[in-house]
Amino acid sequence: QKVKDSMRVLLPVLLNKSHDSYDKIRAILLYIFSTNGTTQENLDKLIQNVQIESDSDMIRNWKYLDVPVISSFVAQQHKYPRRDRSKEETFQLSRWTPVIKDVMEDAVENKLDSKDWPYCSRCPPTWNGSGAV
């Protein structure tokens, strides 16, 4: 049976005082393996809450074995909001819309967040809205 919210299952195990730190490290690694990586923020919070700072290298060193411990794709995938395209006309074989379409439309409409997209320039103040910059 597939676990829907693995963090909800993981936290009681990590916060249980009867488990030793090696079992908690194993549980965190299983979480990372099952989600194909996690964000740096999430990993730091897990390590601090479980109080295994001294053993955190056991988790972080898996990157040397090409295990995606920190995955930037995971962060980007959940971070960027998707547009509702349920009412758009689609072809029978192409119902899925890639994220890049949303990003490009936001770039044209000048709606990209400058924190996430620092190299995309803002429109000049004299821009009349006649086209993409």
Side-chain angles (χ1 to χ4, degrees):
Q1 190 178 42
K2 188 166 176 122
V3 177
K4 295 194 192 304
D5 188 10
S6 54
M7 186 58 76
R8 188 177 301 235
V9 175
L10 178 68
L11 281 177
V13 173
L14 295 179
L15 297 176
N16 190 343
K17 301 285 186 196
S18 65
H19 297 301
D20 68 346
S21 63
Y22 293 119
D23 290 335
K24 293 177 183 182
I25 290 171
R26 284 187 195 103
I28 291 173
L29 285 171
L30 285 172
Y31 167 74
I32 290 171
F33 296 159
S34 69
T35 59
N36 207 13
T38 186
T39 62
Q40 182 68 41
E41 276 180 33
N42 196 15
L43 182 61
D44 291 340
K45 285 180 187 177
L46 283 172
I47 289 171
Q48 287 174 356
N49 289 338
V50 179
Q51 299 171 350
I52 54 170
E53 288 89 0
S54 60
D55 295 329
S56 66
D57 288 340
M58 289 183 196
I59 297 170
R60 297 181 198 278
N61 287 342
W62 277 87
K63 69 182 175 190
Y64 298 118
L65 296 173
D66 290 331
V67 174
V69 176
I70 305 298
S71 175
S72 59
F73 179 72
V74 172
Q76 188 67 23
Q77 181 181 12
H78 297 292
K79 196 176 209 182
Y80 197 79
R82 297 300 310 260
R83 292 182 180 214
D84 180 28
R85 299 186 183 276
S86 59
K87 295 181 180 28
E88 285 186 6
E89 259 186 66
T90 59
F91 296 104
Q92 185 169 355
L93 297 176
S94 62
R95 292 179 290 224
W96 179 76
T97 307
V99 177
I100 191 68
K101 184 174 181 180
D102 294 340
V103 172
M104 293 307 296
E105 287 177 356
D106 285 348
V108 169
E109 295 169 7
N110 200 23
K111 294 181 180 178
L112 289 178
D113 186 15
S114 61
K115 186 180 98 186
D116 294 332
W117 305 94
Y119 297 107
C120 294
S121 63
R122 300 312 268 161
C123 291
T126 59
W127 184 61
N128 61 5
S130 62
V133 176

